[in-house]
Amino acid sequence: MAVFVFVGGYAYGQTRQPALEEEPSRTLEGKPQAPSRVEVQPAAGDEEIADRLERILSATGWFESPSVRVDEGVAFLSGRTNDEQYKQWAADLAQNTRDVVAVVNRVEVSEPSPWDLQPALIGLEALWRDVLYSLPFVFFGLLILAAAYAVARFSTSALRPVLGRKVKASLLQEVVARGLGILVFVLGLYIVLKVAGLTRLAVTVLGGTGLFGLVVGIAFRDITENFLASILLSVQQPFRSGELVEIGGTMGLVQQLNVRTTILMTLTGNHVQIPNATVYKSTIVNYSSNPNRREDFVVGIGYDMQISEAQKIAMEVLADHPAVLKQPEPWVLVDNLGAGTVNLRVYFWLDGSRHSWLKVKSSVIRLVKREFQARGVSMPDEAREVLFPQGVPVQLIDERTGGEPAVQPEARPKAAEPEPEQVEVGAEGGLGSEAEQIEEQARRSRSPEEAENLLR
């Protein structure tokens, strides 16, 4: 039997199939689907079909004032609904009803009011239902994260003493220990996302961790460079606290090495902060790593003096000086031949941890000059003295004797006062090192940075 269905003024037909048993309605992907066959009674009348269909439409709650009229097997549907899918569902329902030969669908689809809050309420209800369903997983995820955090803390604390026996740099110990803790926590986060079915997000988190580190390294290049340099300096330790060093032309006693800068107290009493990256790339002169220090100075003697005798006198001064080391031995060497002097360079060694090289050098120069004067070794000044090897004859004319030369006694230069024999004088302030005084000034001064000292 051919059946014609009128939907929205259009008609379409299909061949009637033999009567089937009633099947329940199904919903696929949230869309209503009419049953394939609705049985009423064998050879049901029009009124029975209309009553059955009208009760079904009312039971769904999707229609407002639903009404069904059947005349000669033609079902006329009327009423209002707020969804086009519900209207189509009603037409399919009537079409699949036994003894219905055609369907005229007059159900109107009403436009939703802008003040209709029903969709929002439905959405909130669905959201609340999803929240309730996800509460067990939320508690489970929090439990895993708490466990991962506890394991990370334990791993960090347990790794510190192990690293302390193998790694001497405290900063490197802290970085490695905290790095392991962060890795454990990220692994716990990955497990939570994996269980939640967010595999791609979990992979993104792991990849984003490295990408974030790369971005931070580029954005904060100088800070990162100084931080990495502080790790290398704390591991290699080219200097220690209190040692006298020269870094990039700046000389001073090392106060501390932190994660950003190296702080020096200069010999003039000033704090100098040098970025660790600059320290690591600069030439470092450590005057305290080897306490022995060699100093030198130049002294000029006259060409009429015997060089070996002057060398002997200077060596005697060095041998008798208490601050000059016997080993390595001192030297007195001919440096060069000047315009009016033979220049001797005096080399000697001293213990820089006990004595100040400035004061010892001053003392040695003073004593060498004293001995040269005491033993008649001339020390002419090239800039003011001109030598005449054959001498310059000078005659004075006396007018009273008619131009006869007058006999004058030979002029003798006034002898200079001899230098004191003491090794130490008050002006030099003793020969001791001034490191203790500078350290005392550093303790009294305010530190530029209140940070942990990474040096032992």
Side-chain angles (χ1 to χ4, degrees):
M1 177 185 296
V3 178
F4 296 91
V5 181
F6 297 89
V7 180
Y10 296 94
Y12 61 92
Q14 69 175 20
T15 304
R16 291 289 303 270
Q17 301 294 332
L20 300 176
E21 295 183 358
E22 182 178 350
E23 296 181 3
S25 62
R26 298 183 180 89
T27 301
L28 299 178
E29 298 181 358
K31 298 180 181 180
Q33 180 178 354
S36 60
R37 181 67 61 186
V38 179
E39 297 291 345
V40 182
Q41 285 184 357
D46 291 342
E47 295 182 358
E48 294 174 344
I49 295 174
D51 181 65
R52 176 62 171 164
L53 290 176
E54 188 171 326
R55 284 189 289 112
I56 293 176
L57 296 180
S58 299
T60 60
W62 296 341
F63 302 90
E64 180 181 351
S65 301
S67 176
V68 179
R69 181 175 62 85
V70 180
D71 187 6
E72 296 296 333
V74 179
F76 297 88
L77 307 180
S78 61
R80 297 182 64 85
T81 184
N82 57 5
D83 195 330
E84 183 69 29
Q85 295 181 357
Y86 298 157
K87 178 180 179 180
Q88 183 63 39
W89 183 86
D92 294 341
L93 175 70
Q95 175 188 348
N96 296 332
T97 302
R98 185 176 180 180
D99 294 332
V100 173
V101 297
V103 176
V104 179
N105 193 349
R106 296 174 179 172
V107 176
E108 298 180 2
V109 180
S110 59
E111 294 293 333
S113 173
W115 299 102
D116 185 11
L117 301 180
Q118 187 65 24
L121 295 177
I122 294 175
L124 290 177
E125 182 180 358
L127 180 62
W128 174 248
R129 185 168 56 252
D130 294 339
V131 169
L132 293 179
Y133 288 157
S134 61
L135 280 179
F137 173 75
V138 171
F139 290 136
F140 176 72
L142 293 177
L143 181 62
I144 292 180
L145 290 180
Y149 178 76
V151 173
R153 290 286 300 271
F154 175 77
S155 302
T156 302
S157 302
L159 189 60
R160 283 195 182 101
V162 176
L163 294 174
R165 295 191 295 267
K166 298 182 179 180
V167 180
K168 297 181 180 180
S170 59
L171 178 61
L172 184 59
Q173 297 176 14
E174 191 67 20
V175 170
V176 174
R178 289 186 178 274
L180 178 62
I182 294 175
L183 181 62
V184 172
F185 184 77
V186 171
L187 181 60
L189 180 61
Y190 173 79
I191 294 176
V192 172
L193 297 177
K194 187 74 173 178
V195 173
L198 304 175
T199 306
R200 292 185 178 180
L201 180 59
V203 174
T204 303
V205 168
L206 293 181
T209 303
L211 180 61
F212 177 76
L214 180 61
V215 172
V216 170
I218 295 175
F220 301 93
R221 184 185 63 180
D222 293 338
I223 297 176
T224 305
E225 188 178 16
N226 288 326
F227 179 74
L228 294 178
S230 65
I231 295 178
L232 296 176
L233 290 174
S234 63
V235 172
Q236 299 174 356
Q237 292 199 353
F239 46 76
R240 297 184 180 181
S241 295
E243 292 186 342
L244 180 64
V245 298
E246 181 178 349
I247 303 174
T250 303
M251 179 184 295
L253 296 175
V254 178
Q255 299 303 297
Q256 68 171 243
L257 166 69
N258 53 51
V259 295
R260 191 181 71 88
T261 61
T262 298
I263 301 178
L264 302 182
M265 170 68 81
T266 64
L267 301 182
T268 56
N270 298 319
H271 275 107
V272 177
Q273 301 182 68
I274 307 176
N276 289 329
T278 302
V279 174
Y280 190 76
K281 293 183 289 187
S282 298
T283 301
I284 302 175
V285 181
N286 192 329
Y287 296 103
S288 300
S289 59
N290 179 17
N292 293 343
R293 176 187 176 98
R294 192 178 74 172
E295 287 294 328
D296 63 271
F297 64 91
V298 176
V299 59
I301 63 173
Y303 272 91
D304 58 335
M305 302 306 301
Q306 190 176 9
I307 296 177
S308 59
E309 183 64 23
Q311 290 176 315
K312 179 181 178 182
I313 295 173
M315 286 293 293
E316 291 176 357
V317 174
L318 297 175
D320 294 338
H321 200 287
V324 176
L325 299 178
K326 304 300 185 292
Q327 291 294 333
E329 62 180 353
W331 299 334
V332 179
L333 306 178
V334 178
D335 189 60
N336 59 71
L337 299 176
T341 59
V342 177
N343 296 323
L344 304 181
R345 186 174 293 274
V346 180
Y347 297 92
F348 61 92
W349 290 80
L350 59 99
D351 187 350
S353 62
R354 296 174 52 195
H355 302 102
S356 169
W357 68 88
L358 297 175
K359 298 177 181 179
V360 174
K361 183 177 181 179
S362 173
S363 174
V364 172
I365 292 175
R366 177 173 51 81
L367 294 177
V368 169
K369 186 253 184 187
R370 176 187 180 279
E371 286 299 317
F372 278 4
Q373 286 181 335
R375 300 194 187 187
V377 178
S378 63
M379 292 179 289
D381 185 356
E382 295 182 356
R384 294 180 300 171
E385 186 169 342
V386 180
L387 298 180
F388 297 93
Q390 305 299 327
V392 178
V394 178
Q395 291 184 351
L396 298 179
I397 306 299
D398 191 351
E399 295 179 355
R400 295 175 300 177
T401 61
E404 294 293 333
V407 179
Q408 297 290 336
E410 184 179 354
R412 295 181 179 271
K414 184 178 179 181
E417 293 293 333
E419 297 286 347
E421 298 182 3
Q422 294 89 349
V423 175
E424 304 176 15
V425 294
E428 293 169 349
L431 304 179
S433 174
E434 64 274 12
E436 295 182 1
Q437 300 175 2
I438 298 178
E439 287 289 350
E440 181 63 24
Q441 294 181 28
R443 284 190 293 268
R444 294 179 180 178
S445 63
R446 180 185 64 84
S447 178
E449 290 191 13
E450 297 296 335
E452 180 185 0
N453 189 7
L454 304 178
L455 297 174
R456 296 195 301 273

